[in-house]
Amino acid sequence: MEKSFQKSALLVTLTLFFCIPVSISVPFILFHGIRDQCSNGGVSSFVQLLSNLSSSHGSCLEIGNGEQDSVTMPLTQQASVACEKVKQLKDLSQGYNIVAQSQGNLVARGLIEFCDNAPPVFNYISLGGPHAGISDIPKCNSTLCELLKTAVYTDFVQDHIAPSGYIKIPTDIKDYLEHSKYLPKINNERPNERNTTFKDRFTSLHNLVLVMFEGDAVVIPKESSWFGYYPDGASTPLLSPQQTKLYTEDWIGLKTLDAARKVKFVSVPGEHLRIAQDDVVKHVVPYLKNQPASMSEDLDILHL
C-alpha cells in the first residue's frame, strides 16, 4: 500500500514538473521589398530592432543578389529559392516566424503555400503586402514601367519583371487569370486549379497580422494589404476583404483563420512601410516574442 502511494505521488510530481510552462526561443526571418537588399542599412537596422525588442533571433533571408533579383527574378523562382534556403537552416527546423515587407510578402506566402517538407511557420506579420494585387504602377516612368502598363500579361514580362506577377487589372480579369503566372496561383483564383494543400498550409498559421498603411500610395489600392480589392470586371466599388470572393468562398483559408480569431487587421498612419516604433512594439513584437510551451509538449511522462 505504501509502495503504491509513493508510486502515485512520484507520478503526480513528475506530471506537475513536466507541465511547468517554459519559454522556447522561436527565430524569425524577414523578407524585404523590391529594390532593396538585406545588406542595406534600413533593412539590417529593422531586423536588429525587432530582435532587440522581442529578444528573439532574427535574420534577413536574401533571394539571389538582392536588389536586382527582386526586380527581375520571377516570384515563383524567388519563392523556390526561399524554400530551399529555409530547409537548409538548422535553426529554423523546429519552426519560425516571418516578417515581410511589401513585395517580400508574396515571396513569404509562396514559401508558406508552395514549399514541401518545410518547417512550420507560426506567426506571419505582413507589412504593406499587395496580397490581392495592385491595379496601377505609381510614379513610374521607366521602360520597365511602360512594359508593366502595356504588356503585363505577356510571357516575356511575366518571366522577367517580378511585379508583373501581382498586377491585377480589374477590368481585364480574363487575361489576368489566363496569363498572370503568380498571384492567381497563390490566391487559388482559378476555379479549376484550386489547391487544397495551399489552403491547408495557410490555415496552419497561428497568427496572421496584416498591416495596412493609411497613407500608402505604392500598394494600390492600399486595402490590398488586407486582401481587399475591386470586384472582377470593375474598378468600383472597393470591396473590404470580407466582401471578396477569396474570403467568402474561402479560397486560401482567410475566412477560416478569421473565424478562429487568428487574423489581425491592423491600420497604422504613415506612408508605405513608414511604421513608427510604437506601432512596431504594439503590432509586430508580440508575435515575435518567445513562445510559451509546457515541457510536456516535448517530454513524455516516464512510465513507472
Side-chain angles (χ1 to χ4, degrees):
M1 182 75 172
E2 183 178 351
K3 180 181 270 187
S4 176
F5 175 78
Q6 290 174 342
K7 184 177 179 181
S8 298
L10 181 56
L11 178 60
V12 170
T13 301
L14 285 171
T15 300
L16 290 173
F17 174 76
F18 287 131
C19 288
I20 294 173
V22 295
S23 181
I24 58 173
S25 179
V26 177
F28 71 88
I29 58 174
L30 179 137
F31 289 98
H32 62 71
I34 193 170
R35 296 191 183 278
D36 213 341
Q37 57 190 44
C38 290
S39 59
N40 282 349
V43 175
S44 58
S45 295
F46 189 56
V47 171
Q48 189 61 56
L49 174 68
L50 294 178
S51 293
N52 292 344
L53 293 173
S54 66
S55 299
S56 296
H57 174 70
S59 59
C60 177
L61 192 76
E62 192 64 275
I63 307 298
N65 63 19
E67 185 173 349
Q68 183 62 36
D69 281 337
S70 74
V71 176
T72 59
M73 184 185 291
L75 288 170
T76 300
Q77 185 178 347
Q78 292 193 41
S80 178
V81 170
C83 171
E84 294 308 312
K85 282 196 167 188
V86 162
K87 289 193 288 187
Q88 292 172 10
L89 295 172
K90 291 183 179 180
D91 60 335
L92 305 184
S93 62
Q94 300 304 308
Y96 62 103
N97 300 319
I98 291 177
V99 179
Q101 300 173 314
S102 196
Q103 178 181 283
N105 282 284
L106 297 180
V107 180
R109 285 187 50 213
L111 169 61
I112 293 168
E113 294 182 34
F114 303 158
C115 193
D116 296 326
N117 303 312
V121 178
F122 299 131
N123 298 330
Y124 166 34
I125 302 98
S126 163
L127 304 176
H131 295 291
I134 59 173
S135 62
D136 195 11
I137 310 295
K139 302 176 182 178
C140 194
N141 300 306
S142 66
T143 301
L144 181 147
C145 296
E146 189 62 28
L147 285 171
L148 288 175
K149 291 180 179 180
T150 61
V152 63
Y153 298 135
T154 63
D155 284 343
F156 177 82
V157 173
Q158 288 287 313
D159 292 339
H160 293 89
I161 307 175
S164 67
Y166 53 92
I167 292 177
K168 182 179 181 179
I169 302 171
T171 54
D172 196 8
I173 291 300
K174 184 176 183 294
D175 277 350
Y176 163 74
L177 289 176
E178 289 180 0
H179 302 294
S180 179
K181 296 186 178 182
Y182 195 73
L183 195 67
K185 180 179 179 181
I186 205 170
N187 280 348
N188 260 341
E189 293 186 76
R190 295 186 178 106
N192 299 323
E193 299 178 21
R194 290 189 182 129
N195 190 310
T196 57
T197 298
F198 299 167
K199 180 178 178 178
D200 291 343
R201 288 171 177 170
F202 196 63
T203 54
S204 71
L205 292 170
H206 295 189
N207 291 285
L208 171 63
V209 184
L210 300 172
V211 178
M212 176 180 71
F213 294 87
E214 295 168 5
D216 201 329
V218 174
V219 174
I220 300 175
K222 65 180 184 295
E223 288 79 6
S224 180
S225 298
W226 283 1
F227 285 91
Y229 211 68
Y230 306 107
D232 290 353
S235 55
T236 59
L238 180 60
L239 303 177
S240 71
Q242 292 80 8
Q243 293 174 311
T244 64
K245 287 185 179 180
L246 179 144
Y247 185 97
T248 59
E249 298 179 7
D250 212 19
W251 294 343
I252 60 169
L254 182 63
K255 183 179 180 179
T256 297
L257 284 171
D258 197 19
R261 298 185 177 182
K262 294 182 179 181
V263 184
K264 283 69 181 174
F265 294 99
V266 177
S267 179
V268 298
E271 299 176 357
H272 187 64
L273 299 184
R274 301 291 185 180
I275 186 167
Q277 183 166 320
D278 286 349
D279 286 325
V280 171
V281 171
K282 183 177 180 181
H283 301 300
V284 180
V285 172
Y287 301 98
L288 300 180
K289 287 187 174 180
N290 292 343
Q291 304 295 307
S294 64
M295 291 181 68
S296 60
E297 292 179 355
D298 300 312
L299 298 173
D300 292 326
I301 302 300
L302 295 175
H303 294 287
L304 301 176

